[in-house]
Amino acid sequence: MKTSAHIIAHTHWDREWYRPFEHHRHDFVVLMNQLLAQFEQDPSFASFHLDGQTILLADYLAVHPEKEETLKKWVQAGKLNIGPWYVLQDAFLTSAEANVRNLLYGMADARRFGEPVLIGYFPDTFGIYGQAPQLLKQAGITAAAFGRGVKPTGFNNTVSDAKAFESPYSELNWSAPDGSSVLGILFANWYSNGNEIPVNENEAKAYWTTKLADAKKYASTSHLLFMNGCDHQPVQRNLPEAIKTAQALFPHIQFIQSDFTSYIERVRTELPPTIQTITGELRNQRTDGWSTLVNTASSRIYLKQLNEKAQMLLEKQVEPLLAIEWLLGHEVDGAYVRYAWKQLMENHPHDSICGCSVDEVHEEMVVRFQKTIQLAERLAEASIDRLAEQVDTTGFGEEAIPIVCFNGSGHASETVVETDIAFEKKYFTGEAFAAMLQQLDEKPFPVFKAFDSAGNPVEATFTQMETAFGYELPDDGFRKPYYARRVNMQAHVKLPAFGYTTIYVLQGKQEANGETIAAADGRSLENEWLKVTIHDDGSYDMICKQTGTHYPNLGVYEDSGDIGNEYMYKEANGTRLTTKGHEATVEVVKNTALEARIAIIHKWELPKSADRSFVDEKRELRWHPNRQAGRSDEQVTCEMVTTLSLQKNSRRLSVNWSIDNQALDHRIRVLYPTSARCQTHLAGSVFEVAERSNTPSKEWENPSFDHHMQGYVAVGNEERGVAIAAFGLHEYEVLPESDYSIAVTLLRAVSEMGDWGDFPTAGAQCQGKQTAQWSVYPMHGDLRKSERLPNIYHAYTQPVVKQVKASRGSLPHSFEAVPIEAENMVITAIKLAEDGKAAAIRAFQPGVGEGMVQSCTGASLFRSTILEKDLGEIQSEAVRPYQIKTYLVKGVSRP
């Protein structure tokens, strides 16, 4: 059969990377103008692949809005190939829902111009989650192209020979855990293997002799793929001429300026039955371990934390609130939510959220995150105000202060909520400000009590706060400033799944409760489930009172030198330091019957930086595995504060950590020994509880075996184990040789971007105050079988707690609005459907047993895809292990 060389013209366009966004956009506009001129002037230039991300169209049209119809013309003519993504985002550092929205909005935007290219395009993604084939199939996409994750790759992404490949071919079947599969196309010789094709005959002969041999080495069919482009590569305008030269030199080969749709159709006709099936995650495990780029998970952790906050606000507050409003029959506008998601996703490309760009890029990202957070907070506030107006909060008298507590999770929870309450306001009426303050400050502070809607006492604590300025913004009038007396309330409440409850605060005599969670000696915390004892060096022991299992020496910190870069960790020569045996100061900072907090303070002497030889190694662009620099003899003091918090009836120990980081070129991790002998562990991923080996493959040479996590990691066996749930922390390592410890990275401070040049990044040293949050759960058995999985998954889902004015509405004091029962499932999203005509609910089955979903409110329930395509009405259905399910609820749900 005659060999065909499919040449796909493209550019891989990182919107921001080694230069800031506007620098790259300028050059992209130049490229697009040249490309559109090429289409007009040379009909033989067949097509151009626009990197699989539709945001590039918006970037161009922001400068040339008059070109929209021209873009539509070439898309519809099949010349300009676009979609299916909105951005080429990192797969592991963005939430499951962010990955869905990326496809949802990318496909919708592409269809404004024409039809998207139906290929899951992951050219430079730093590993891919295992459920990607299932998501793609639900979107009608049956093929994926990617550059990483299967075959061993080395420096500059060249393929290296190894005794064992995960796949012998560039073509493979890629299967999700549920069995959904797509055709996988590996860029075995990278997405630039057909770049800058010569027109000159002598140069072209040498070029194609090498390139054809390289492609044939891994091809399973006669159709060879050549990607004519690379990072920020301009259009090769003489490509048709270069193809003519190649055809004349190699007449036995058919040279085609092709596109992905045509190429994949041809490949499918010749696929042999022997191609490999790869199941699950593509994470480059069969490599030497030096080019996996996994340590982008710990570069500039502050970015990951901002991203987590923005995602949580949108997914667990804004969208569920709007959905419940719609279910209750209110008119809801979803346009602002789409705007917020798109703004957030501008920070999700792999060189952006991964923290592996120059400082200017990440400075702009912080502003985008802050804008998204501000918008999400305002959307949630406006929605809870509208919802609260409909709740009947009368019945406890005019003096009662109603507090509405909304749970955006699809799972019920019991927790301690906290809010500040303004219990007496003095509006500005011309009186002197100082006199107003004095009048309020001189009043005796009242005693408060809390009740639920049935009049039962709610356990709560109240702490006096100072009088403060505030204001109201009426819907029908001018702003109303005031001074208010305030009290901070913590209350222990039971929150319904996807719904709200109302508690009422009144002034009155408060019964004393002598119980506290922290012991009198200030060295231990204890509630119904856990007992924690703190040692002199700040480490602590934990006892699970349910099983009696003892977990000693938790929370030791480890510091090592880091002479890698934003992409990869490389330990400096020299001694690792730990806080073991390093005396700490221990202080009780809060101690009530609902919550206790103990602060552990370390003043840690650390090497100031890497030694002076590191400067020369960076200037020489020495590849990080070959660096030999050590650590400086000069030391600096870094103060660390660890606050342990335990709440009433909580099964987790919460940890808040901060450091005044004065050191350079280092990494800090916290260690949790589990003593749980096991071969594998579990970690949160995109719609999956991923099972991973504790030890690397035999090809692995890197001393570090770090992994990504989304939200949590668990190491355990049937007798004992520990799960860590983290907020915006994405990197961990399991250390079998150290009592099966979980090591979670809290800080990585590096000095350069890395990759292909000398790009200093002072901002990546993360100087000054850095913070982190995580929680510790004792466990045993398979987390996928545990009823705790939804609680761990939603560990940092925050309820919306809002003081409201008493009003006589039509809604009850408390209401659970979730319209389905989802047994043995984890609910990830409750949102307004994109067409505004339904509520969409998404959940996944974690992989053990069978799930069951059924309608429970009388509303009409419909199966759907992730693109919210109606697949027919149901009353209930069984859900197989690992399946991702989306349902549309049509018709309102009234209490």
Side-chain angles (χ1 to χ4, degrees):
M1 190 172 291
K2 190 172 185 178
T3 298
S4 298
H6 292 258
I7 301 163
I8 298 180
H10 81 106
T11 188
H12 175 53
W13 203 269
D14 300 295
R15 297 178 71 244
E16 50 192 17
W17 181 23
Y18 56 90
R19 294 190 298 171
F21 167 63
E22 292 297 350
H23 287 199
H24 280 313
R25 171 154 61 181
H26 173 273
D27 293 355
F28 178 68
V29 170
V30 171
L31 180 151
M32 285 297 294
N33 287 338
Q34 291 176 346
L35 178 63
L36 297 179
Q38 184 79 6
F39 287 154
E40 292 284 358
Q41 298 164 11
D42 186 359
S44 67
F45 193 95
S47 63
F48 191 86
H49 186 76
L50 198 58
D51 206 30
Q53 49 177 331
T54 60
I55 195 173
L56 296 178
L57 300 173
D59 290 343
Y60 179 67
L61 291 174
V63 178
H64 283 296
E66 76 281 2
K67 296 287 189 180
E68 182 168 350
E69 292 305 314
T70 302
L71 293 180
K72 289 180 179 178
K73 178 180 77 170
W74 294 121
V75 171
Q76 292 166 15
K79 292 272 195 177
L80 185 61
N81 304 143
I82 62 172
W85 306 109
Y86 182 63
V87 298
L88 289 184
Q89 71 187 58
D90 182 82
F92 285 108
L93 298 179
T94 52
S95 71
E97 286 302 317
N99 277 275
V100 170
R101 308 315 158 86
N102 190 26
L103 193 54
L104 184 65
Y105 295 140
M107 295 278 274
D109 283 358
R111 289 190 168 118
R112 283 181 45 228
F113 293 86
E115 285 299 314
V117 179
L118 295 181
I119 184 169
Y121 195 59
F122 303 93
D124 196 19
T125 312
F126 304 163
I128 314 174
Y129 50 89
Q131 290 280 33
Q134 185 177 176
L135 294 182
L136 294 174
K137 286 292 285 288
Q138 288 197 28
I141 297 172
T142 59
F146 44 84
R148 303 180 191 274
V150 178
K151 286 183 179 177
T153 58
F155 179 66
N156 209 21
N157 302 292
T158 55
V159 173
S160 61
D161 292 312
K163 292 180 180 179
F165 288 102
E166 286 187 78
S167 172
Y169 298 126
S170 300
E171 300 81 30
L172 52 94
N173 286 320
W174 181 19
S175 177
D178 78 313
S180 303
S181 65
V182 297
L183 172 63
I185 305 295
L186 170 69
F187 297 132
N189 295 288
W190 207 230
Y191 56 74
S192 59
N193 69 322
N195 196 25
E196 298 185 342
I197 300 172
V199 174
N200 176 274
E201 289 189 4
N202 291 334
E203 293 175 0
K205 186 172 184 179
Y207 178 95
W208 283 112
T209 298
T210 299
K211 295 290 185 178
L212 289 166
D214 287 345
K216 287 178 179 179
K217 185 175 182 181
Y218 300 107
S220 66
T221 75
S222 65
H223 298 280
L224 310 181
L225 178 61
F226 296 95
M227 299 295 290
N228 176 240
C230 197
D231 302 346
H232 306 105
Q233 182 77 24
V235 181
Q236 183 174 346
R237 305 187 71 178
N238 63 356
L239 181 60
E241 186 181 352
I243 290 175
K244 289 179 182 178
T245 300
Q247 190 66 73
L249 290 170
F250 300 87
H252 60 291
I253 294 174
Q254 181 184 21
F255 289 85
I256 310 164
Q257 185 176 353
S258 189
D259 57 71
F260 276 110
T261 301
S262 301
Y263 164 71
I264 288 170
E265 286 177 355
R266 302 283 185 86
V267 165
R268 287 189 189 278
T269 65
E270 294 185 20
L271 280 175
T274 55
I275 63 171
Q276 195 85 356
T277 294
I278 305 299
T279 300
E281 298 179 309
L282 305 184
R283 299 183 61 247
N284 283 335
Q285 299 309 296
R286 301 299 293 270
T287 76
D288 63 8
W290 284 115
S291 296
T292 65
L293 311 188
V294 64
N295 299 118
T296 55
S298 56
S299 290
R300 301 181 189 258
I301 285 174
Y302 65 91
L303 295 175
K304 282 73 166 173
Q305 294 164 330
L306 286 168
N307 182 58
E308 189 84 0
K309 182 175 182 179
Q311 288 177 160
M312 285 282 190
L313 284 168
L314 289 173
E315 296 173 23
K316 308 307 180 189
Q317 293 191 4
V318 174
E319 290 186 328
L321 279 165
L322 294 180
I324 195 173
E325 284 195 81
W326 185 87
L327 286 167
L328 292 169
H330 303 165
E331 290 291 327
V332 178
D333 181 7
Y336 237 138
V337 180
R338 286 191 290 275
Y339 169 75
W341 267 113
K342 284 188 170 184
Q343 183 169 253
L344 175 60
M345 286 192 293
E346 287 188 48
N347 282 347
H348 284 177
H350 48 271
D351 290 308
S352 301
I353 191 60
C354 287
C356 53
S357 297
V358 294
D359 288 342
E360 295 94 326
V361 166
H362 301 304
E363 289 162 4
E364 186 172 359
M365 285 178 64
V366 170
V367 175
R368 288 190 207 122
F369 278 133
Q370 291 170 338
K371 289 174 65 177
T372 304
I373 289 167
Q374 291 166 7
L375 174 56
E377 289 173 339
R378 182 66 189 109
L379 289 173
E381 180 183 46
S383 183
I384 197 72
D385 284 345
R386 291 192 298 267
L387 181 64
E389 286 177 358
Q390 305 301 311
V391 179
D392 185 358
T393 52
T394 61
F396 279 81
E398 295 182 357
E399 299 301 318
I401 301 172
I403 309 292
V404 175
C405 306
F406 176 79
N407 176 22
S409 161
H411 301 275
S413 67
E414 182 178 338
T415 189
V416 175
V417 299
E418 183 171 0
T419 191
D420 296 340
I421 299 171
F423 64 88
E424 183 179 354
K425 296 178 181 178
K426 194 172 182 62
Y427 292 93
F428 290 7
T429 58
E431 188 177 353
F433 297 145
M436 294 171 65
L437 272 175
Q438 184 177 0
Q439 290 173 21
L440 293 173
D441 286 343
E442 289 178 349
K443 289 187 175 185
F445 196 77
V447 176
F448 294 94
K449 298 179 70 173
F451 299 89
D452 66 15
S453 56
N456 301 312
V458 171
E459 191 168 3
T461 60
F462 298 89
T463 304
Q464 182 176 353
M465 303 176 68
E466 67 177 13
T467 302
F469 168 80
Y471 58 87
E472 296 173 0
L473 299 174
D475 291 337
D476 56 355
F478 193 57
R479 63 179 181 258
K480 298 173 65 176
Y482 59 78
Y483 283 121
R485 302 176 73 199
R486 301 181 304 149
V487 62
N488 175 268
M489 179 192 73
Q490 282 191 312
H492 185 251
V493 298
K494 294 182 178 180
L495 296 172
F498 181 47
Y500 66 85
T501 190
T502 308
I503 61 176
Y504 298 86
V505 175
L506 293 90
Q507 297 183 24
K509 183 178 179 182
Q510 186 174 5
E511 292 81 6
N513 186 341
E515 295 182 1
T516 57
I517 291 176
D521 64 1
R523 289 300 184 104
S524 64
L525 302 162
E526 185 171 4
N527 69 0
E528 298 86 341
W529 300 100
L530 302 176
K531 181 175 182 180
V532 178
T533 304
I534 302 168
H535 302 301
D536 289 344
D537 64 0
S539 64
Y540 36 94
D541 296 350
M542 181 169 63
I543 296 175
C544 174
K545 296 170 71 172
Q546 181 183 21
T547 63
T549 310
H550 181 220
Y551 298 89
N553 302 314
L554 305 179
V556 170
Y557 296 98
E558 168 202 272
D559 183 85
S560 59
D562 190 344
I563 53 173
N565 52 46
E566 289 182 321
Y567 289 94
M568 285 299 294
Y569 166 77
K570 169 63 166 72
E571 185 170 357
N573 288 325
T575 305
R576 289 191 185 188
L577 304 173
T578 76
T579 55
K580 188 173 183 179
H582 186 97
E583 188 170 356
T585 302
V586 181
E587 300 175 356
V588 177
V589 294
K590 185 183 183 91
N591 192 17
T592 71
L594 294 185
E595 182 184 28
R597 300 174 191 165
I598 295 181
I600 302 166
I601 304 166
H602 288 96
K603 294 188 181 296
W604 205 4
E605 297 293 324
L606 298 176
K608 182 178 181 180
S609 64
D611 66 28
R612 297 187 64 179
S613 66
F614 186 38
V615 174
D616 292 333
E617 290 180 334
K618 288 185 291 185
R619 290 181 63 235
E620 295 167 1
L621 302 183
R622 189 177 301 183
W623 193 33
H624 53 275
N626 300 328
R627 292 174 176 177
Q628 298 295 321
R631 307 189 73 177
S632 170
D633 293 331
E634 187 177 352
Q635 297 207 324
V636 293
T637 301
C638 297
E639 181 174 281
M640 291 195 310
V641 180
T642 305
T643 303
L644 305 182
S645 175
L646 188 61
Q647 293 184 346
K648 177 182 175 64
N649 208 33
S650 176
R651 295 172 182 250
R652 65 171 174 169
L653 174 69
S654 297
V655 186
N656 282 270
W657 173 85
S658 68
I659 186 171
D660 181 10
N661 181 38
Q662 299 299 313
L664 308 172
D665 311 319
H666 70 126
R667 179 177 78 172
I668 295 178
R669 305 195 295 185
V670 62
L671 307 178
Y672 286 93
T674 69
S675 301
R677 296 182 63 83
C678 50
Q679 298 299 312
T680 62
H681 65 275
L682 301 173
S685 187
V686 174
F687 297 112
E688 184 182 9
V689 185
E691 185 172 4
R692 297 172 182 158
S693 174
N694 290 343
T695 55
S697 59
K698 61 184 179 181
E699 291 89 359
W700 197 270
E701 297 175 5
N702 188 341
S704 235
F705 189 42
D706 299 318
H707 302 279
H708 291 91
M709 67 171 168
Q710 273 205 5
Y712 56 92
V713 57
V715 174
N717 55 32
E718 290 302 315
E719 288 75 39
R720 61 186 298 122
V722 171
I724 304 294
F727 183 86
L729 302 176
H730 290 275
E731 182 182 287
Y732 72 93
E733 185 178 9
V734 177
L735 306 173
E737 72 283 2
S738 298
D739 205 13
Y740 291 85
S741 290
I742 302 171
V744 180
T745 305
L746 307 179
L747 171 73
R748 200 159 70 86
V750 295
S751 60
E752 64 167 355
M753 186 185 86
D755 202 308
W756 62 275
D758 184 9
F759 298 96
T761 53
Q765 293 282 15
C766 299
Q767 294 289 277
K769 185 176 181 179
Q770 307 295 319
T771 64
Q773 293 175 269
W774 64 94
S775 296
V776 188
Y777 297 79
M779 55 164 281
H780 61 277
D782 190 329
L783 180 62
R784 293 169 293 193
K785 301 177 183 178
S786 172
E787 74 283 357
R788 295 190 194 180
L789 177 58
N791 292 329
I792 292 174
Y793 183 89
H794 289 286
Y796 288 96
T797 296
Q798 294 296 315
V800 183
V801 184
K802 184 68 185 293
Q803 175 183 350
V804 299
K805 292 182 178 179
S807 61
R808 190 174 296 281
S810 60
L811 298 179
H813 301 267
S814 297
F815 179 45
E816 181 171 281
V818 64
I820 65 170
E821 291 180 4
E823 182 182 347
N824 202 19
M825 303 278 284
V826 178
I827 296 175
T828 65
I830 304 173
K831 64 183 287 289
L832 181 69
E834 293 302 308
D835 64 4
K837 298 177 181 179
I841 300 176
R842 191 158 22 257
F844 73 94
Q845 209 285 342
V848 178
E850 191 174 72
M852 177 60 68
V853 171
Q854 60 184 13
S855 175
C856 63
T857 63
S860 300
L861 184 65
F862 297 78
R863 289 192 189 96
S864 173
T865 68
I866 61 168
L867 298 186
E868 300 177 6
K869 178 182 179 182
D870 187 337
L871 299 178
E873 188 172 2
I874 62 168
Q875 291 300 315
S876 64
E877 73 169 346
V879 181
R880 299 195 313 273
Y882 304 106
Q883 283 192 310
I884 304 163
K885 289 289 186 175
T886 305
Y887 300 95
L888 300 177
V889 180
K890 300 182 181 181
V892 298
S893 174
R894 298 186 184 278

